[in-house]
Amino acid sequence: MQILGIDVGGSGIKGAPVDTETGQLLGERIRIKTPKNGEPEPVAEVVKQIAQSFNWSGPIGIGFPAPIKSGVAMMAANVSEKWVGTNADALFTKVTGCECTLINDADAAGLAEMTFGAGRGQPGTVIMITLGTGIGTAIFHHGHLLPNTEFGHLEVEGEDAEFRASDAARQREELSWKKYAKRLNKYFTALEKLFWPDLFIIGGGISKESEKYLPLLTIETPVVTAQMLNQAGIVGAALGALKPD
Ligand code: BGC
């Protein structure tokens, strides 16, 4: 099936049509800056703009950085408070005129990696962690997703993990890779003790620089980086809009 996949991020909104059977993008990915303050209406207008530039009238799947229940964002850690309680599925559908389905952005990236990337065919428990402005998590068991896990907000040493170990924290505090890897080790160890996973997959913009931190991770569980790099969010958003047969 062909679905327009859109990844809404803090700095950019990216989209491309996706073939959900192969995971291939069917057109050049478009990126538009996220409107200042990232409020619902202006963000929906950007999604409309992306849909129009592909002459799109089919279904749209959108990955969004918040837990989503039945199209409604439940919490706003890195997005405008105005999203909380807004029925985003309905808003995006009204503005674009296409049927829109929202899912959490880390769940989207995880679905893409489990279907077409580093987690394909992986049995047991797999945890996808996206390191970016925030920390997103997606947990799979035998390929099945438990949606909306928010372990980026796990408290580690008295602080929200995302505040200390996101890529934004690394940049904000100008941490060396060695210091940053130390924080990641603490965070991954905390997750290990709670979930006893079989594999961690690291995604987000930082997956491109894996050679700088992967060798410094000392945890027991195997860790790999996402294979789909910055396409995982778009492809997974499209997968999230697939309706069960
Ligand atoms: C949000 C998550 C999101 C993650 C990555 C966190 O702050 O609470 O829902 O998946 O950032 O964008």
Side-chain angles (χ1 to χ4, degrees), residues 10-236:
S11 55
I13 301 180
K14 297 141 265 175
V18 176
D19 179 333
T20 57
E21 259 127 64
T22 62
Q24 297 297 315
L25 301 192
L26 299 167
E28 183 96 13
R29 155 187 182 276
I30 290 183
R31 182 184 191 278
I32 297 179
K33 249 177 103 187
T34 306
K36 197 160 167 264
N37 303 328
E39 291 179 0
E41 294 278 351
V43 168
E45 287 299 331
V46 171
V47 172
K48 179 179 174 186
Q49 215 179 314
I50 295 177
Q52 281 176 341
S53 57
F54 289 108
N55 245 330
W56 196 257
S57 58
I60 303 181
I62 301 159
F64 191 80
I68 308 291
K69 284 179 88 174
S70 308
V72 181
M74 307 306 291
M75 183 184 94
N78 287 311
V79 295
S80 153
E81 284 289 336
K82 294 203 172 144
W83 286 97
V84 180
T86 296
N87 187 326
D89 275 3
L91 172 71
F92 283 86
T93 299
K94 189 179 99 199
V95 172
T96 62
C98 302
E99 195 191 342
C100 292
T101 309
L102 232 72
I103 65 166
N104 170 261
D105 58 355
D107 286 352
L111 282 174
E113 286 296 326
M114 294 303 287
T115 315
F116 301 113
R120 182 143 62 151
Q122 272 289 329
T125 300
V126 179
I127 306 187
M128 167 102 194
I129 316 272
T130 62
L131 300 169
T133 310
I135 295 183
T137 56
I139 303 189
F140 295 83
H141 186 244
H142 293 317
H144 294 286
L145 170 68
L146 174 67
N148 291 321
T149 55
E150 285 285 332
F151 289 102
H153 301 293
L154 183 70
E155 202 177 294
V156 181
E157 294 188 336
E159 253 164 336
D160 198 288
E162 167 173 297
F163 181 68
R164 304 257 309 157
S166 63
D167 191 39
R170 179 185 68 82
Q171 293 180 32
R172 188 180 62 236
E173 296 185 46
E174 297 178 8
L175 297 175
S176 65
W177 287 104
K178 200 167 155 209
K179 282 205 173 122
Y180 182 57
K182 229 170 148 182
R183 292 193 184 180
L184 288 180
N185 275 322
K186 277 196 186 135
Y187 176 53
F188 282 88
T189 303
L191 289 172
E192 261 180 343
K193 286 192 180 141
L194 292 172
F195 298 102
W196 302 99
D198 299 291
L199 179 69
F200 282 116
I201 304 175
I202 299 184
I206 205 171
S207 47
K208 296 193 282 284
E209 306 193 77
S210 60
E211 74 289 349
K212 302 201 176 118
Y213 59 87
L214 266 194
L216 303 173
L217 298 182
T218 53
I219 52 170
E220 295 281 318
T221 312
V223 193
V224 294
T225 47
Q227 283 172 5
M228 304 183 67
L229 302 174
N230 59 9
Q231 288 188 7
I234 294 174
V235 173

